[in-house]
């Protein structure tokens, strides 16, 4: 019921209509609060699921990186003399070739695990190191196979392969250091930058 006085242009609202409008405003506020709360809960659940996913990815990565680094460290130690000097006349023995063969195979095996663990930046470096390990092993095998050759052409090939050993050794060392830093960054990534 609305009460209007003569001469007034506006009318006052009765108590029933005011109560209905008040209840309606309260309902809208309650629905808005419920929607906001639901959205906040979904966002919290999404953040928690993402953190759990990152933790689950980090553990296998850590193991894969650790094993790969161990094998790459062994090869890095083997190639260290070639990093130092282009004119090295190191005696290449069958024992050395066998060691490099085993280490090269181990680097290849462990790089597969790193590639599967990711991320892309670490994967790319693991593949580079795997390729360098294969190239180093091939060059060493050629040097060993033709080490006592007398022909000028074969001696030239051995010199070229020794030069390739030096180049690949330096590249391996550099890429290995870069791999370690990228692996650390991948393990430290908490996803806050995404």
């Amino acid at each position: 019921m609305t009460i209007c006085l003569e001469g007034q242009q506006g009318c006052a609202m009765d108590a029933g209509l005011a109560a209905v409008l008040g209840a309606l405003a309260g309902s809208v506020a309650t629905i808005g609060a419920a929607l906001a709360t639901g959205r906040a809960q979904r966002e919290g659940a999404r953040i928690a699921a993402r953190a759990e996913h990152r933790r689950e990815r980090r553990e296998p990565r850590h193991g894969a990186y650790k094993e790969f680094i161990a094998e790459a460290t062994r090869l890095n130690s083997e190639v260290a003399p070639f990093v130092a000097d282009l004119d090295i006349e190191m005696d290449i023995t069958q024992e050395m070739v066998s060691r490099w063969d085993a280490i090269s195979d181990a680097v290849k095996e462990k790089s597969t695990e790193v590639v599967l663990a990711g991320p892309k930046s670490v994967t790319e470096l693991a593949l580079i190191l795997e390729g360098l390990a294969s190239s180093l092993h091939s060059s060493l095998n050629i040097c060993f196979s033709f080490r006592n050759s007398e022909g000028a052409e074969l001696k030239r090939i051995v010199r070229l392969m020794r030069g390739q050993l030096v180049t690949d050794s330096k590249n391996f060392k550099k890429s290995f250091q870069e791999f370690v830093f990228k692996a650390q960054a991948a393990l430290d990534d908490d996803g806050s930058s995404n």
Side-chain angles (χ1 to χ4, degrees):
M1 175 174 182
T2 307
I3 302 172
C4 293
L5 299 173
E6 279 187 36
Q8 286 184 337
Q9 293 190 336
C11 296
M13 188 179 329
D14 69 3
L17 183 58
V20 169
L21 290 176
L24 181 63
S27 296
V28 168
T30 301
I31 290 170
L35 290 173
T37 301
R39 184 176 183 148
Q41 287 174 342
R42 281 191 305 278
E43 183 66 18
R46 188 184 68 77
I47 290 170
R50 186 173 174 191
E52 179 64 17
H53 175 73
R54 287 194 177 275
R55 186 190 64 73
E56 288 174 359
R57 292 278 303 184
R58 185 183 188 282
E59 290 173 12
R61 281 182 179 171
H62 181 272
Y65 296 171
K66 182 179 177 180
E67 291 174 13
F68 182 76
I69 288 171
E71 297 302 335
T73 298
R74 287 178 54 209
L75 185 54
N76 200 42
S77 296
E78 290 285 332
V79 302
F82 293 100
V83 173
D85 188 3
L86 178 62
D87 295 325
I88 191 168
E89 287 301 325
M90 179 181 208
D91 186 31
I92 298 173
T93 64
Q94 179 61 52
E95 179 186 335
M96 184 181 198
V97 172
S98 296
R99 270 195 327 268
W100 283 35
D101 184 37
I103 295 170
S104 179
D105 285 347
V107 167
K108 182 177 182 177
E109 177 188 334
K110 299 304 178 186
S111 73
T112 301
E113 295 171 23
V114 171
V115 167
L116 293 174
K120 185 179 179 185
S121 61
V122 176
T123 294
E124 289 169 346
L125 284 168
L127 292 173
I128 288 170
L129 288 167
E130 178 188 337
L132 286 167
S134 293
S135 179
L136 283 161
H137 183 249
S138 295
S139 297
L140 188 76
N141 271 324
I142 291 169
C143 287
F144 179 73
S145 297
F146 299 115
R147 70 192 178 285
N148 296 324
S149 299
E150 294 299 323
E153 184 62 23
L154 291 177
K155 285 185 177 188
R156 186 182 72 76
I157 290 172
V158 170
R159 275 194 313 279
L160 286 173
M161 288 301 101
R162 281 187 178 273
Q164 190 65 48
L165 278 169
V166 170
T167 301
D168 287 346
S169 295
K170 289 178 180 179
N171 289 335
F172 189 88
K173 181 177 182 174
K174 180 183 173 202
S175 295
F176 177 59
Q177 289 170 343
E178 191 176 344
F179 175 85
V180 170
F181 295 132
K182 293 274 187 184
Q184 287 172 337
L187 291 174
D188 289 341
D189 180 19
D190 64 359
S192 61
S193 64
N194 292 341

